[in-house]
Amino acid sequence: MNLNPEAFVDIIPYLVTGLWYTLIITLVGVALGCVLGTIFGLMRLSKNGFIKAIASIYVEVLRGTPLLAQIFFFHFGIPNLLGFNLDALVSAIVVIAINSGAYIAEIVRGGVQSVDQGQIEAGRSLGLNSRQTMRYIIWPQALKIMIPPFGNQFIISLKDTSLLSSIAVAELMYQAQTYSSITFDAFEAYFMVCLFYLMITIPASLLLRYTERRLERS
């Protein structure tokens, strides 16, 4: 077994750079995904058939196709069709936003639908219109239900960023591949990249469990 102990330390600067890109892409992408998901999730609840159909197509297409295919489509396919080049980092954020938005849309739809419909009647009895009922009665209750799935989606999207190495985004996986190709220390490189992902996902999972327990008690 050819193990290079120094490689476990030498790769750290590469992975620190990759960690920065991974977090930026995840945070910005999921934040935009929350906006998209909220819009399309509420559209799926619309009584207007056309609006509901548009939202359903968005959700089903994005959830029904592999993320890797979406990455290539948005980074290579669309720019090639329209005749321009797209920065890899921009492509990465856009893909994570659009992909996570489709899943968040279902979280929003499920969260709103899980609120007792009697709450709507209660809002009307108080003289609130549909928008006010959603804002002051339905949405606060639904948001409480949606927080744990939001957290799960954040962790999923963070791990999904590893696929962005396919378009040379300098995130964690790409940095590990770069280091491995230079030094041929593949075991050390990929062991450390797994460790870096665990350094993010384990605390995030623990925080999510803590939040879930707090929500159950409240």
Side-chain angles (χ1 to χ4, degrees):
M1 182 177 180
N2 185 20
L3 190 66
N4 180 10
E6 293 181 357
F8 292 109
V9 177
D10 293 340
I11 194 177
I12 289 178
Y14 288 82
L15 296 184
V16 168
T17 300
L19 179 61
W20 167 254
Y21 279 99
T22 294
L23 291 176
I24 289 296
I25 293 167
T26 305
L27 290 171
V28 177
V30 173
L32 294 174
C34 286
V35 175
L36 288 173
T38 300
I39 293 171
F40 282 96
L42 294 177
M43 286 172 64
R44 292 206 74 182
L45 296 169
S46 174
K47 295 179 181 179
N48 185 304
F50 179 70
I51 292 176
K52 187 174 182 179
I54 292 175
S56 297
I57 291 171
Y58 165 75
V59 170
E60 296 304 325
V61 168
L62 270 296
R63 282 162 54 96
T65 53
L67 179 57
L68 186 59
Q70 295 169 23
I71 292 170
F72 287 155
F73 178 74
F74 283 103
H75 186 65
F76 297 115
I78 292 179
N80 182 67
L81 178 66
L82 301 180
F84 66 90
N85 294 322
L86 195 60
D87 181 78
L89 182 60
V90 174
S91 295
I93 293 173
V94 169
V95 171
I96 293 298
I98 293 175
N99 180 269
S100 63
Y103 291 90
I104 292 172
E106 285 298 276
I107 294 172
V108 170
R109 182 182 66 84
V112 172
Q113 288 183 329
S114 66
V115 177
D116 192 334
Q117 293 300 304
Q119 299 292 326
I120 297 176
E121 297 177 2
R124 290 174 179 170
S125 68
L126 293 173
L128 302 178
N129 59 34
S130 298
R131 184 173 297 179
Q132 291 171 327
T133 300
M134 175 62 73
R135 178 179 178 182
Y136 296 111
I137 296 179
I138 303 299
W139 191 252
Q141 296 180 66
L143 188 61
K144 180 179 176 180
I145 297 169
M146 290 186 285
I147 287 176
F150 275 149
N152 284 326
Q153 183 57 48
F154 175 84
I155 295 172
I156 292 169
S157 293
L158 187 146
K159 292 186 292 185
D160 283 345
T161 59
S162 62
L163 294 174
L164 297 169
S165 61
S166 60
I167 57 171
V169 177
E171 45 71 59
L172 277 170
M173 183 59 70
Y174 180 81
Q175 296 289 357
Q177 290 174 339
T178 301
Y179 181 85
S180 176
S181 66
I182 295 171
T183 64
F184 300 102
D185 293 321
F187 175 84
E188 296 85 346
Y190 294 117
F191 175 86
M192 288 299 291
V193 79
C194 289
L195 185 61
F196 266 65
Y197 276 114
L198 289 173
M199 287 168 56
I200 310 170
T201 57
I202 290 177
S205 297
L206 292 175
L207 178 61
L208 181 59
R209 291 174 189 171
Y210 172 77
T211 303
E212 289 176 351
R213 289 195 296 268
R214 290 293 300 270
L215 290 174
E216 289 173 358
R217 295 172 186 169
S218 61

